[in-house]
Amino acid sequence: MIVLGLLLIVLAGAAVIAVSWDEAATSTATASFTVFDRTFQLSQLEFFFAGVVTGAVLLLGIALMLAGMRHAAARRRRLRDSRMEARDRVARLEEEKRELERKLQESPDPAATAPATAPATAPASRDRDRDGVDDRDEPTAPHQRVDVPRQSGHSTDQLVAGRHERTSHHR
């Protein structure tokens, strides 16, 4: 858009310069201009409207150039903001890493404290259902054991990890 705006501005400027050099065009009732081997005869009113169109082209060129510059500035701003966010994110992660490394260095070695903490956690693991009674003193099975009878037919099909696998002789 910036290039198109500059092109329109240059075109309007060239038209103004071409008219200002031709003294005969401003002094007579009709003006004659040659553009790309074509001659145009313009009256004073047509000449005025041609000037208005040239001014409009100039303003359109300026507007296009400014819009392109705003668009480019917004794109650069978004890019800069995203880069800043990425830097901030990396800085936060590095700070968190340093903090965790510092805590790790300050804390005592867990292998050295393991025998001291093992007896403290042992009683808690003996009461898995957390009813306040040591699970070793409770009966392990609340129901009597029920035997499931085997199926009468002898099949080589096996259920393994949720899939039926057949042997090659039963196809």
Side-chain angles (χ1 to χ4, degrees), residues 47-58:
F47 191 64
F48 172 76
F49 285 127
V52 169
V53 169
T54 304
V57 168
L58 176 71

Side-chain angles (χ1 to χ4, degrees), residues 66-133:
L66 291 176
M69 290 170 54
R70 278 193 307 267
H71 179 70
R75 187 176 57 233
R76 282 192 307 271
R77 191 176 317 114
R78 283 192 308 266
L79 182 62
R80 184 179 60 238
D81 290 344
S82 67
R83 284 181 182 164
M84 292 298 288
E85 286 177 20
R87 280 190 215 135
D88 291 344
R89 201 173 329 127
V90 168
R92 282 193 312 267
L93 288 173
E94 287 176 350
E95 180 62 32
E96 183 179 341
K97 178 185 169 204
R98 282 192 293 271
E99 181 68 24
L100 290 173
E101 287 174 345
R102 185 185 58 77
K103 286 181 180 180
L104 184 63
Q105 288 176 354
E106 289 177 358
S107 68
D109 186 20
T113 60
T117 59
T121 59
S125 65
R126 291 181 184 147
D127 186 19
R128 292 183 184 154
D129 56 0
R130 293 189 176 101
D131 61 352
V133 178

